[in-house]
Amino acid sequence: MSELRPRVQTLAQLIPPLTYDLHKGDCGRVAAIGGCEEYTGAPYFVASSALRLGNDIAYIVCEKDAATVIKSYSPDLIVNPYLRSVDNQEDRSLDEIEKKINPLLDKLHAVAAGSGLGNDTNIHESVRRAIKAARKRGLPIVLDADALALVTKSPDIISGYQNAVLTPNPPEFARLSKALGVSTAGKELPVDEAAQIVAQKLGGVTIVRKGKKDIITNGQRVFVCDEAGGLRRCGGQGDLLTGATLTFLAWGEKYKQGMWKPQSSSELIKHSLIPMHAAYAACMLARHASFLAYEECGRATTSTNVLEQIDIAFDNKFEEILKAVKPSKT
């Protein structure tokens, strides 16, 4: 396999230049759908990483028993307690939840689902409806964690939607592959080939198969991210990757709208390849932030430490390139 890596200068085309003419929301409005009574940290990491990378507004849509806890983590997040577990479904029906979520989707540039959802069937049904509504609006979608179980059970919810990125870890990828019938008569396929076939069977969605090397493919092209990361495998790092992917996808929507002039005509990104480039940029930053956190904290590294490094990772990778487009202070 030819291990393709997009140039950092190309990835930088997706980053909105900061100018004095911008308004709130111009650099992205995103949402993380996830969070239940048991898992409150996951959507926090998704939304917080998006903010620290430069998105303007981050919403969380969670189960009502998770909302107060998540609100206590940060005043920067807008937390909507719309979801209902089976135990809490008496005060809000699935149709009422859908009517709450859909107007929010109209405000967004990208949406993520899955982090901290848990296994509640009522919550899963609300998320399935939200994915359908996001597709109808043409929103970029990131699916991770428990949302991947929905795809494994019903691939049609995302199949053929090429503005989607799925970020499975090895066990999640194995389950998804099995559900799609990706096998070679009992022989294990090389991971890059398997990822390509999975992406093809899902109609050209972008797959980020996380691992020692992150394999990123839409079934036609393959990027491989082997950026050095830390040695800790603490829970929450995948949520940071989801938030970073969400960020670059949201910026990709503004890029398609022509919100800023490309820095170089030779580094233009085809609109159909924005999910691939967004996913690669996110992998590069998440891995580098993990490396920086481990260098500082060693075995004590947690995902909170990685989150604290993600903006530094961004500066390390992009600052020199972006200096050329910084506005004058006069």
Side-chain angles (χ1 to χ4, degrees):
M1 177 185 64
S2 176
E3 297 189 354
L4 300 176
R5 298 171 181 81
R7 284 163 47 87
V8 176
Q9 290 86 347
T10 302
L11 301 175
Q13 302 301 311
L14 294 176
I15 302 171
L18 298 181
T19 74
Y20 295 105
D21 296 322
L22 293 174
H23 302 285
K24 182 173 65 177
D26 283 348
C27 289
R29 295 184 297 273
V30 300
I33 303 177
C36 61
E37 183 179 19
E38 185 176 2
Y39 302 115
T40 57
Y44 161 78
F45 283 129
V46 175
S48 294
S49 60
L51 289 179
R52 293 193 71 140
L53 285 172
N55 260 286
D56 287 341
I57 301 173
Y59 298 88
I60 292 176
V61 178
C62 64
E63 214 283 332
K64 74 171 187 177
D65 285 345
T68 301
V69 177
I70 298 172
K71 286 175 184 283
S72 73
Y73 295 155
S74 171
D76 296 313
L77 305 174
I78 302 171
V79 182
N80 297 305
Y82 295 159
L83 303 180
R84 292 293 184 271
S85 65
V86 170
D87 292 339
N88 289 329
Q89 63 183 321
E90 293 84 2
D91 68 334
R92 184 170 290 170
S93 70
L94 288 169
D95 288 343
E96 290 170 332
I97 294 169
E98 190 173 2
K99 289 178 181 178
K100 286 281 190 179
I101 293 176
N102 285 353
L104 174 61
L105 295 177
D106 291 331
K107 302 177 183 179
L108 302 179
H109 299 115
V111 62
S115 297
L117 280 183
N119 297 314
D120 187 271
T121 56
N122 216 56
I123 295 176
H124 280 204
E125 175 58 21
S126 289
V127 171
R128 187 191 67 78
R129 294 187 185 196
I131 293 169
K132 182 179 179 180
R135 288 188 63 165
K136 183 177 180 181
R137 289 160 172 77
L139 277 176
I141 303 171
V142 188
L143 298 182
D144 185 31
D146 298 313
L148 296 173
L150 297 178
V151 178
T152 299
K153 184 178 180 181
S154 302
D156 59 292
I157 68 172
I158 204 65
S159 182
Y161 190 61
Q162 297 181 5
N163 209 10
V165 177
L166 279 59
T167 62
N169 60 27
E172 291 164 341
F173 182 77
R175 291 190 289 269
L176 183 58
S177 298
K178 183 178 179 180
L180 294 170
V182 179
S183 65
T184 54
K187 295 182 180 180
E188 185 176 351
L189 281 171
V191 65
D192 59 296
E193 292 182 25
Q196 280 188 279
I197 295 172
V198 167
Q200 290 166 2
K201 283 183 172 288
L202 288 174
V205 305
T206 294
I207 298 290
V208 178
R209 197 282 193 179
K210 298 179 287 193
K212 186 176 180 180
K213 296 181 180 181
D214 295 329
I215 308 297
I216 302 145
T217 179
N218 60 5
Q220 303 300 319
R221 302 183 63 170
V222 177
F223 292 157
V224 177
C225 184
D226 58 359
E227 176 75 28
L231 297 179
R232 285 279 282 126
R233 297 295 178 266
C234 46
Q237 291 184 81
D239 304 310
L240 299 174
L241 172 62
T242 296
T245 307
L246 188 63
T247 297
F248 277 88
L249 285 175
W251 289 344
E253 289 300 289
K254 307 299 284 188
Y255 175 84
K256 287 191 287 188
Q257 295 167 12
M259 179 180 161
W260 58 89
K261 293 182 179 179
Q263 300 166 32
S264 170
S265 58
S266 64
E267 303 286 354
L268 295 177
I269 301 173
K270 291 182 179 179
H271 292 181
S272 62
L273 293 177
I274 286 176
M276 286 274 293
H277 286 80
Y280 185 93
C283 289
M284 178 181 69
L285 291 178
R287 293 170 74 99
H288 186 48
S290 171
F291 173 84
L292 295 174
Y294 184 78
E295 287 289 289
E296 182 175 310
C297 302
R299 288 181 181 271
T301 302
T302 66
S303 288
T304 298
N305 303 129
V306 181
L307 174 63
E308 291 168 350
Q309 297 289 339
I310 201 158
D311 50 312
I312 299 171
F314 179 92
D315 287 344
N316 287 351
K317 296 300 180 181
F318 292 113
E319 185 177 28
E320 287 301 316
I321 298 169
L322 297 178
K323 277 182 179 178
V325 294
K326 283 188 176 180
S328 169
K329 292 184 179 180
T330 59

